[in-house]
C-alpha cells in the first residue's frame, strides 16, 4: 500500500446523529439553573442537524441538537422562553463578550 492510497479510498459519508432525550434533558437542566435564558435556532447544515443554542443573561451558552425548527419553537414556548432564528438576528453580543472573557482568562 502506497503512502497516498488511504487518501484515494472513497469514504462513506457520515451519518448525522439526531436529537436525543439526553439533549433535551441537558437543555432543560441548563436553562433551569440559569436566569434570563433565550433560545436561538441554528439551521440544519451538511454537517449537523438543526441545533438550539441557549444563552443566559451573562452570555454563558450551550448548544444541542434538536429534531427540527418546530421542535425548537415548541421547546421554548413550553418554557416561556424567547426564541430567535440565528439566520435572521445573529447571536447576541453578550454571548460574544462571554467567549472573549473566557479566552482572556485562558478557559476553553
Amino acid at each position: 500500500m502506497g503512502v497516498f492510497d488511504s487518501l484515494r479510498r472513497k469514504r462513506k459519508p457520515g451519518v448525522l446523529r439526531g436529537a436525543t432525550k439526553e439533549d433535551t434533558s441537558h437543555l432543560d437542566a441548563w436553562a433551569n439553573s440559569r436566569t434570563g435564558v433565550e433560545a436561538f435556532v441554528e439551521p440544519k447544515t451538511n454537517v449537523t442537524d438543526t441545533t438550539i443554542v441557549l444563552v443566559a443573561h451573562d452570555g454563558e451558552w450551550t448548544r444541542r441538537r434538536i429534531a427540527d425548527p418546530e421542535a425548537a419553537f415548541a421547546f421554548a414556548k413550553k418554557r416561556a422562553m424567547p426564541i430567535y432564528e440565528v439566520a435572521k438576528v445573529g447571536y447576541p453580543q453578550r454571548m460574544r463578550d462571554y467567549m472573549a472573557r473566557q479566552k482572556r482568562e485562558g478557559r476553553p
Side-chain angles (χ1 to χ4, degrees):
M1 182 156 110
V3 175
F4 296 105
D5 286 346
S6 64
L7 297 175
R8 288 188 198 110
R9 279 188 264 154
K10 293 194 178 207
R11 298 180 189 255
K12 294 180 183 177
V15 176
L16 295 179
R17 179 180 73 80
T20 64
K21 290 181 183 177
E22 289 79 19
D23 292 327
T24 305
S25 296
H26 168 80
L27 293 168
D28 271 329
W30 195 91
N32 289 333
S33 65
R34 287 153 180 87
T35 59
V37 177
E38 294 179 325
F40 294 83
V41 181
E42 297 175 315
K44 180 177 179 177
T45 68
N46 290 334
V47 180
T48 61
D49 280 333
T50 303
T51 52
I52 186 170
V53 178
L54 300 183
V55 182
H57 77 284
D58 63 351
E60 184 181 5
W61 60 277
T62 189
R63 173 185 290 122
R64 291 292 184 275
R65 288 175 178 86
I66 197 148
D68 52 42
E70 292 77 23
F73 281 94
F75 176 89
K77 182 178 181 179
K78 182 178 178 183
R79 291 151 185 87
M81 182 185 301
I83 185 164
Y84 310 96
E85 293 181 49
V86 169
K88 292 182 180 178
V89 300
Y91 296 102
Q93 184 63 46
R94 68 182 183 279
M95 181 178 168
R96 292 188 292 272
D97 293 344
Y98 178 84
M99 289 188 290
R101 282 194 310 273
Q102 295 299 305
K103 188 174 180 179
R104 278 194 307 271
E105 294 171 5
R107 296 182 193 162

